[in-house]
Amino acid sequence: MTILEQGTITIHTENIFPIIKKSLYSDHEIFLRELISNAVDAIQKMKMVSLAGEFSGEVGEPEITLTIDKDNKTLAISDNGIGMTAEEVKKYINQVAFSSAEEFIQKYKAADDQQIIGHFGLGFYSSFMVATKVEIDTLSYKEGAQAVHWSCDGSPTFELTDSTRDTRGTTITLTLQEEEAEYVEASRIRQLVKTYCDFMPVAIKMDGEQINRQKAIWRQSPSSLSKEDYLEFYRYLYPFQEDPLLWVHLNTDYPFLVNGILYFPKLKPDVDVTKGQIKLFCNQVFVSEHCEEIVPKFLLPMRGVIDSPDIPLNVSRSALQMDRTVRKIADFIAKKVGDRLKELYREDRENYISSWKDLGTFVKFGALNDEKFKKQVEDIIIYRTSAELSAAKTDTPAVEVQSEDGDIWQQVKPEGGTAGGPSFTTIKEYLERNKEGHENRVFYCTDEVTQATYIQLHKSQGLEVLFMDSFIDPHFISFLEREFKDVKFSRVDSELDDTLIDKDKTSEIVDPSTNKTRSEEIADLFKTALNKPKLTVRTEALKSDDAAATPPAMVLLPEFLRRLRDMNAILQQQDLGQFPDEHILVVNTSHPLIQNLASLSQGSIIQGEGKSPSAELAEMICHHVYDLALMAQKGFDAEGMKAFVERSNKVLTQLTEKAAK
């Protein structure tokens, strides 16, 4: 063996090894990613040399081979790439690989609070995190080149000798530290390759079997991919998940290079909208599971892949957020998503509507947080409506079947569609449609079940109600009021529109014995029975073709008080809590129950110092009517519910006693 050179690496690099070893306690497993990345680079350089006509021999099928020797505790990474001469080893390993002098030290020595391993550029020397000894055996592609062998035990000394290697390429052999024995386990190596190197463009083999997927479809032209290609890739990335709603294929090389595929998933109720699920790659090498600093936050629940060499990977998270290129990439992604949604809205409204339950969260959150995105989507934000709209009224186009080839924006076609389902509308369409009935007024509900009485009351009088019942809508209503400054947004249980009240029944005869109208007597009956000083009792005759179908009473909470209550609940991160004492009870004097109650009260006889059974029953019915109205506002606490059940039992007991007589 001819010793070509022995020596010390360089005075500037004597502090590198302690820095590398210190990083052992963070992401030391990335050494394999770095070494395989270097091998891929060597293979791609060999291809370029061959294409340039500088190599006339057989290039062969490019591949990287991983070899484990458990007995000797070694892991070897071999490639058939460009190889190195002795001079190149000195240049790229002794000088460059060991940090290229002071730059590495200056950049990372002071950054003890930052994780330095896991960034690109560390390359070869990350192997010293896990190895007691690192060896390089290499033969250059150059004609007449002598194979060389380099070794280092992690100290600032190395040895460079001739080698007997006779095949072009490089083999890096790590003799692992005792505590790093996991890296001679085949299962562990397979797992690391799948995590970091699955989509690298060169076959990676172990024990004669290819262990990486290799094919990165996001680098292909969208026109070359079918719907099934996109779906199969999604299922590979996110196994055991429902298929996505649709996707966006990112593909641009100016003014920055970005490739990727982003999918709109079906959102689960427990989704964490602050945590990204998009995988970040750099030149097909996996970098991170999270893209919070790169993707606009309203798109974080999306899934898929973003691949860009223009995203800086060796800076802090705060610096990444402020990086001009990163901000431009984020704007580009948001615009492509907005364009995709607009296209779907125009060309396949039925699919858009059927996906809106999930898409709406993205779109509304985006409109709240991004002015440019808001401008893109403001005309395609839709709401379910109580109105029964025909296709003609909503301008819904016929569903077009798109071809599977040549369509850059293929989407998943859900089963069923919206035929015969609920109608949807935009705010502008709603306002135009109701211009004569209630100009610049929008009625909405937030809970279809508990507010069903109020919704039906509005519908019976021809008032259209919008359903704003997603978790983001309480914030979005305030946004809409800023956007539509001349429009009043009223929740159906906040006040009664004049359209709902029968004005013809408001003029009543005054009872000479009490000097009060029947409505005033009913109001006094409820005030006395309920004994709530802060409660406002109003009597109104609600319009209806069937009085019994209307509610006997309704609790209204003025819009400003309800929003204040909602805001306090959000700020305190708790349930809505106790219902405000100051609210309105509207008693419907048209309802048969209220009319019977008035008659029952008038017919009650005072017995001694107590109340007659009829008076007691009337009082309990007042409570019962109020409780039922309050229930629609979710106004019960535990004690209130207990009292309601007890009173209900008493009312039913007395009624059955009367019926049994």
Side-chain angles (χ1 to χ4, degrees), residues 200 205 241 344-345 527 610 616 644:
M200 285 186 171
K205 296 184 178 181
Q241 300 292 316
L344 184 64
Y345 180 81
K527 288 176 184 177
E616 287 185 357
F644 169 71

Side-chain angles (χ1 to χ4, degrees), residues 622-646:
C622 285
H623 275 282
H624 200 73
V625 168
Y626 171 69
D627 287 344
L628 289 172
L630 194 62
M631 194 177 291
Q633 285 279 12
K634 296 182 179 178
F636 276 155
D637 56 16
E639 284 300 315
M641 179 57 73
K642 181 174 177 288
F644 169 71
V645 172
E646 290 175 351

Side-chain angles (χ1 to χ4, degrees), residues 33-34 37 40 44 118-121 195-197 199-201 216 218-219 257-259 279-288 291 294 305-314:
R33 180 191 74 183
E34 298 296 326
S37 296
V40 171
Q44 291 175 332
H119 300 307
F120 283 84
T195 299
Y196 293 107
C197 311
F199 299 100
M200 285 186 171
W218 65 83
R219 300 294 292 267
L257 184 60
V258 174
N259 291 282
K279 301 176 188 293
L280 178 62
F281 285 73
C282 181
N283 291 328
Q284 296 171 236
V285 181
F286 174 75
V287 176
S288 173
C291 289
I294 299 163
V305 167
I306 291 176
D307 188 337
S308 175
D310 292 327
I311 296 172
L313 301 171
N314 58 343

Side-chain angles (χ1 to χ4, degrees), residues 223 268 301 342 457 459 473 501 510 542 551 611 624 638 650:
S223 61
K268 303 291 184 183
K342 286 166 64 178
L457 181 64
K459 285 178 64 177
D473 281 336
I501 299 172
V510 177
L542 300 182
K611 298 177 183 177
H624 200 73
K650 287 181 181 179

Side-chain angles (χ1 to χ4, degrees), residues 420-557:
S423 298
F424 286 77
T425 185
T426 66
I427 293 290
K428 289 181 180 179
E429 290 170 343
Y430 176 99
L431 292 171
E432 180 63 28
R433 198 164 44 248
N434 295 285
K435 190 161 51 176
E436 294 185 6
H438 47 90
E439 187 173 13
N440 288 338
R441 185 86 177 270
V442 174
F443 297 103
Y444 70 94
C445 70
T446 57
D447 190 320
E448 185 176 6
V449 176
T450 60
Q451 295 163 13
T453 301
Y454 304 89
I455 297 168
Q456 185 56 43
L457 181 64
H458 283 71
K459 285 178 64 177
S460 68
Q461 298 307 311
L463 298 180
E464 183 178 350
V465 178
L466 298 184
F467 295 84
M468 298 187 180
D469 49 7
S470 72
F471 72 90
I472 198 173
D473 281 336
H475 310 281
F476 202 68
I477 291 164
S478 299
F479 165 80
L480 289 174
E481 288 176 325
R482 293 193 298 272
E483 293 297 307
F484 297 89
K485 290 184 172 58
D486 297 329
V487 177
K488 182 178 182 181
F489 288 79
S490 301
R491 203 168 92 171
V492 290
D493 56 354
S494 64
E495 56 187 287
L496 290 178
D497 188 74
D498 289 344
T499 313
L500 304 173
I501 299 172
D502 191 344
K503 298 294 184 182
D504 294 338
K505 294 188 177 180
T506 54
S507 55
E508 297 180 287
I509 300 174
V510 177
D511 185 342
S513 62
T514 61
N515 202 31
K516 294 181 179 179
T517 65
R518 189 174 182 84
S519 293
E520 290 172 336
E521 290 173 351
I522 291 172
D524 287 345
L525 173 62
F526 274 87
K527 288 176 184 177
T528 303
L530 299 176
N531 190 28
K532 293 180 178 292
K534 294 185 178 181
L535 174 67
T536 300
V537 178
R538 273 172 42 197
T539 54
E540 302 284 2
L542 300 182
K543 282 183 181 179
S544 178
D545 295 333
D546 180 8
T550 59
M554 304 171 73
V555 167
L556 304 180
L557 186 62

